[in-house]
Amino acid sequence: MATGTLPSVVSRYKVPIITLFLSVYIDIFDCQQFVIPFKSPSDCSGDEFFDISSLSCVSCGSNQLRSTTGLSCICKTGYQTLITDKTSITCQQCPTDKPAVITDGFGCVRCPGSLSDEGNCQCPPGNILVERDTNGNLLDEARCEICNGNTPGLTVPNYSGDKCERCQDSFINSSCVCNPPNVLAGGLCFPSGSLSTNVNPSVNYAQLKFSVQSAWFVKNLYSSSAACLVFSNLTACQALGNMCVMNMHSFSSVSTDACGLFNTIFRSRAALSSTQDISYWRVNLPWLYYGDEPGLAGRVLQTDPVPLKFSFRGRNKNTDIRLLAAVYNVRGEFLRWEQVGAGNLQLCPGTTSKQSAAFSFGTAYQESCDLSVADLLDAHPEPLFYDVFLDLGGGENRKLLPLPTLVYNQQYNGRLINQESMKNWYLSRRMFVVDTLSGREKSTSSLPKVIRVASSVKIRFQLVPRTQDGQVFPPLMTVTYRDVPITDINTQTVTTTFAVEYEMDQNEARIKTDTAIGVMAGVALIYSLLKTVSWKRRIASPLIDAETLLKFLIFYAGDLANVFFAVTVGTGLYWLIFYKAQQFVSVLLPLPAQEEQFVTYVGCAFALKAVQFLHKLFMQVSIDVFFIDWERPRCKANRTVQAAGEPKRDPSPVSIWRTYFVANEWNEIQTIRKISPTFQIMAVLFFLEVLGFSNLALRDPWPILQRSSQEYTPSYSIMLRYGLSSTLWLCIGFLQVIFFTVFHEHFIEDKIRQFVDLCSISNISVLLLSHRCFGYYIHGRSVHGHADTNMEEMNNNLNRESESLCGQRGLLPNSDTQTFQVSLTNRLRLQYDRIREQIGRRNGPSRLMDTSSANQFEQRARGYQTMNYFLGSVIDHAHPDMDYIVRDKLMFERVIGMEFLEPSEKSIFYNDEAHTFSDVLFYGNEATLLIFDTLFFCVVDLGSQSFVLAAVLTCVQQIIFRLIRNTLGRKNLVNKTLVDERFLI
């Protein structure tokens, strides 16, 4: 296998040792970017051949031309070949009396017949041209007969038996027999002592913790290394490099394995010049490694940008990634230049359009599949090896940039160095995808014991920091191999993945995000402290106890949730806008691993917001509610009794139906919202799934809503998906709030203001205490004195009010303000609690309830009347020691939600035209509910990657919490107002 054309360029590469040392020294510390010109065999002229070692065109010698393969030089027609040394040939013209060149080119003869176009003698069909006699001596005139294979002619029959040819050049002197002490190996005869025959033909399978004596290595390792070392045979050097690649580029203390022998020859070429001016690419050897200097990988990958600029749109649009591979077979023969893509590095089947998406810049590509071991054995009987380059273009001066390769399984003295930090990486060049050859033990045709498959091939592009014109560093190809022991080839499968990913340095973005969270969390801390102080004032408690600390933590949880929510939504929206809208590439999406911190922030926002939501829910279902009935009994005119001869009128009892009616209305508005939750969910799903907005969250730079099923669909970005869904949810929610606030409440229905109007018509005020000494008061005292009347009188009253023929509804004279925030004195609250105890007291155990229920109800009824009279007298200023004043809140008090004045002597009623009593309803907490729904929807979607499932679960969640709020609020209303639950419909 080591036979082939001998190179003719060794002598040209000898340079002074000092020059080489300086070149290596400069390369190590300057770490220049390695760029070579692109050449293929078809680019070489007629007097040039393609050097498979240097991947360049090299001129042939005098009187020589390129061979038919283009990979070597041969003598021109009419010239015979002379061997001048072991590595080059010369050509001498044949004399005129012997014009024909013999078949092997190493002599001239007269022909018995005509000459061919190639200048060789021609024989009739069925004859073999004999150009040497039976002793192997060249004849003066060729004969058409069977060749004589006897020595000392230095000819032997070829394998086909159709011609005589000169024996291989490595055989010594004039004999075709490799006599001792010379070593015969691989069809070559090596001088004794040129290389130790004690080589290690084993292949290490570290994942399986055993080695295999490879039949291929047994047959070819020594001959390839010896031919490379002694004769500088190009294909032998390539074959030796391939065997090192099959051994995972791994180095160990054993210097006689494939990589150890390659490294020995590599060091022996230190005195010769490098190939393509790259110090790691020694003459006549394949380029397998970059070098083992610490930190070299970082300098190669993150020093000099690639001389390409990528742009997503515009006149200078450039998204094409052109990768070329120099392909070699296992024997070291150069096969071709090949475009990287389907059929080589991409093992998974797929359409051309989908697989070509891998080489569109900015599109995160990943394709995985399970391949049958039997199919791999059939399709890959021998491995192919690839040296991958990035095509930089340039027209006639086409340039290539070598792609550094990181073999994840590579070992260096037993260490998996490429699984450590970058400073310890050992970059390499050549790779393969499937090796079914090296694991064969008995023979190269037997079933392998182990096969090795590239389970992951990943090409990573890193954006240059702060670039504005789409520059990237040299891409890195990471290859992970899997060792598969063969048991049953018909049932075994191997999972393989091909991926192209893009990244940028996220440290600056992470620092900005953390800084924003830190600053805003500090502001939230101060705001939470103000809330806690306000809460302490409203409960009239000066002590700092465990309850105070708990309240502070709950307040801080809600405010911190808003911080996380604002930062995460802003971050997601930033990436969505700037990544999808950029022209020249300046930002790239974070990798999935880099999004973990973002997901943590989203989880924190949801958990903290859930705490705030549950706290608000608990507070709403435990408020104190009391309906103050201003209606007074009226005397009956049609019913009299005689007492001492004089008529007497009985007072008519006050109807409870007005209170029941108001209670029912209050019960109904407990869960109304400023948006329609059903419309919210349907609208979000319509935009995401029907209109295709979800496609904006894909990991590619194209803002396309509709995609063909024939095109490749990349994975979703968590940041983009969260930013898109949260922004869409908030926008639709805000539009609904604006619609309900501006249009619906003004022209169709405003249930909050309608409730206030109902209280006035019903002659019932409402006192709501959300804190011990703070709450809300709705003044519903009728300006007509009575509301318990017939239809005619009611209509008359309403007409008089519409015509301004009566007083205004406000608490104060000549005022329309009916709603107030109330800050009560501690004295008033204590009196309120004493009466409440009488209302809420239960006499005796449950088994005695039947016998005492009548007395108990009468006691509670008296307590209700007492509370009604007490609160009514307070409103009428009938208690000087529990009096109140009415004032406006300062703007700053409204902003921070805290009252500066403490009600020490008199309670304070703050005018509240904004109807903030809705804060004890869902209606007044729309922001909290909207953010909680948004986070719930997004968290479910991030976990399931399904907008439909997230919408369904969000709808179920809303129904459940609405049911809980209605049920508990209903029970609280019954307990606090003495309204019988049977009358709440």
Side-chain angles (χ1 to χ4, degrees), residues 19 84 348 411 602 656 670 690 700 719 756 816 827 956 972:
T19 303
T84 58
C348 293
Q411 293 188 356
V602 175
I656 195 64
Q670 288 190 97
V690 179
D700 63 22
M719 281 189 176
V756 177
D816 285 330
R827 184 185 300 110
V956 171
N972 181 67

Side-chain angles (χ1 to χ4, degrees), residues 183-349:
V183 179
L184 179 64
L188 302 177
C189 187
F190 299 104
S192 62
S194 57
L195 184 69
S196 172
T197 58
N198 184 25
V199 297
N200 182 14
S202 63
V203 178
N204 182 33
Y205 294 95
Q207 296 176 1
L208 305 177
K209 301 186 184 307
F210 64 75
S211 299
V212 170
Q213 292 289 322
S214 171
W216 178 261
F217 281 45
V218 169
K219 180 179 180 182
N220 298 300
L221 179 57
Y222 176 79
S223 59
S224 297
S225 56
C228 180
L229 177 64
V230 178
F231 302 115
S232 297
N233 186 279
L234 298 181
T235 54
C237 292
Q238 299 291 331
L240 175 60
N242 292 342
M243 283 184 272
C244 179
V245 173
M246 286 191 282
N247 227 343
M248 299 289 93
H249 296 83
S250 297
F251 283 111
S252 65
S253 57
V254 180
S255 61
T256 56
D257 61 2
C259 291
L261 292 171
F262 179 87
N263 196 35
T264 299
I265 299 175
F266 180 86
R267 290 194 301 268
S268 70
R269 304 291 168 86
L272 303 179
S273 63
S274 58
T275 301
Q276 301 280 10
D277 295 327
I278 300 173
S279 61
Y280 312 114
W281 197 350
R282 297 289 168 82
V283 62
N284 297 331
L285 293 178
W287 182 10
L288 297 189
Y289 303 99
Y290 274 82
D292 57 356
E293 305 94 66
L296 176 63
R299 298 197 297 273
V300 170
L301 297 173
Q302 297 178 345
T303 300
D304 297 324
V306 174
L308 284 177
K309 295 181 180 180
F310 291 98
S311 174
F312 291 145
R313 50 188 59 85
R315 291 183 303 173
N316 297 321
K317 179 180 178 181
N318 178 25
T319 59
D320 294 332
I321 301 173
R322 296 179 297 273
L323 298 180
L324 291 178
V327 186
Y328 299 82
N329 64 14
V330 70
R331 297 167 184 81
E333 299 169 341
F334 176 83
L335 300 181
R336 58 191 172 273
W337 283 103
E338 190 170 88
Q339 193 80 26
V340 172
N344 41 50
L345 302 191
Q346 292 176 280
L347 292 176
C348 293

Side-chain angles (χ1 to χ4, degrees), residues 706-733:
Q706 301 297 332
R707 308 222 176 196
S708 171
S709 59
Q710 302 300 320
E711 297 178 358
Y712 173 75
T713 302
S715 61
Y716 286 99
S717 165
I718 290 179
M719 281 189 176
L720 294 188
R721 196 174 178 96
Y722 174 83
L724 175 67
S725 57
S726 61
T727 302
L728 193 59
W729 190 284
L730 292 176
C731 288
I732 295 176

Side-chain angles (χ1 to χ4, degrees), residues 421-447:
S421 62
M422 181 185 288
K423 67 177 183 179
N424 295 327
W425 285 359
Y426 198 173
L427 298 179
S428 54
R429 282 282 297 126
R430 185 164 294 185
M431 54 87 66
F432 64 90
V433 289
V434 179
D435 175 19
T436 63
L437 180 63
S438 62
R440 305 175 191 263
E441 284 188 305
K442 298 179 181 179
S443 69
T444 56
S445 59
S446 63
L447 187 69

